[in-house]
Amino acid sequence: SSVSSGINAEYGGDLVLCYFVVPQRANMHTPSTTESCVTFFFIVGVTFGGGFATTALTTAEDGDEWYDGLEKPSWTPPNTVFGPVWAALYFLMAVAAFMVWRRGGFLKQALPLSVYAVQLVANFSWVFIYLEAKDLLAAFIEICCLWVLILVTAVLFGRVRRAAAFLLVPYLIWVFFAGSLNYELWRLNKDNNGTDTNGTAAR
């Protein structure tokens, strides 16, 4: 007993510290299959629904017609490319967010998932800026902010699960391309309609 008392006296503090510092699997959030399914479809629904709803609302009137009348760079993709690309990116984004949620739930992963939500709002608002306001310069500034938010989201996701961060890489690349196209649309059309110019850059 004297030996065990000595061990406890010498290492007891370290053992207590390790208990609180090292994650305990018994205290980890382990979602049920039902909870996982509901959360996955919720994340997918918010990501897809918000993106396509904003696009549908802003192109319902004169958005497409106005965009078709803009002068464009030679490397502008056809309009039919944007929809499938965004659908794939939204799915990858939702899967990445779900992977992070699986590591503790919304409360434990509040920071990365909150930043994810903020960049989603920035993503959705982008289409309103250039299709409703038809302001390419403001849209370009906004998409630069969006790209930074996506990068921050990827970094935070990577601290939880590296695979989740990798799933956001295509999103980063596409938004960089979209921003470049957005800038070129502004540069080519800024003298035509003053500040009332913009484009669906990557929608």
Side-chain angles (χ1 to χ4, degrees), residues 20-202:
F20 287 104
V21 173
V22 178
Q24 303 298 309
R25 291 190 177 274
N27 296 329
M28 296 284 285
H29 176 72
T30 305
S32 64
T33 302
T34 302
E35 184 182 3
S36 295
C37 290
V38 170
T39 302
F40 176 75
F41 285 111
F42 171 77
I43 295 175
V44 170
V46 170
T47 305
F48 270 88
F52 286 104
T54 52
T55 302
L57 289 173
T58 52
T59 58
E61 298 179 1
D62 64 342
D64 283 341
E65 181 180 349
W66 170 82
Y67 173 70
D68 291 339
L70 291 175
E71 184 178 354
K72 303 176 184 65
S74 58
W75 43 273
T76 302
N79 292 347
T80 54
V81 169
F82 298 134
V85 169
W86 274 112
L89 292 176
Y90 282 142
F91 181 75
L92 292 177
M93 291 160 57
V95 171
F98 177 72
M99 291 172 67
V100 171
W101 172 84
R102 290 275 298 176
R103 292 292 180 92
F106 288 112
L107 291 180
K108 184 172 183 178
Q109 304 302 340
L111 178 60
L113 292 177
S114 295
V115 176
Y116 175 81
V118 171
Q119 69 83 26
L120 270 185
V121 173
N123 181 300
F124 300 157
S125 64
W126 179 39
V127 65
F128 281 105
I129 294 175
Y130 60 69
L131 281 182
E132 288 297 316
K134 296 181 174 63
D135 190 336
L136 274 171
L137 181 58
F140 175 70
I141 295 172
E142 203 273 354
I143 201 173
C144 290
C145 295
L146 171 61
W147 192 89
V148 173
L149 285 171
I150 299 169
L151 181 61
V152 173
T153 303
V155 171
L156 292 175
F157 276 19
R159 292 178 178 178
V160 181
R161 283 203 66 178
R162 187 173 299 179
F166 284 132
L167 288 177
L168 296 182
V169 172
Y171 184 26
L172 276 167
I173 295 173
W174 177 254
V175 170
F176 179 84
F177 170 78
S180 301
L181 179 56
N182 198 155
Y183 174 80
E184 283 299 303
L185 288 170
W186 170 76
R187 187 181 66 82
L188 293 172
N189 296 275
K190 62 181 179 178
D191 296 328
N192 295 336
N193 299 309
T195 58
D196 188 33
T197 57
N198 191 22
T200 54

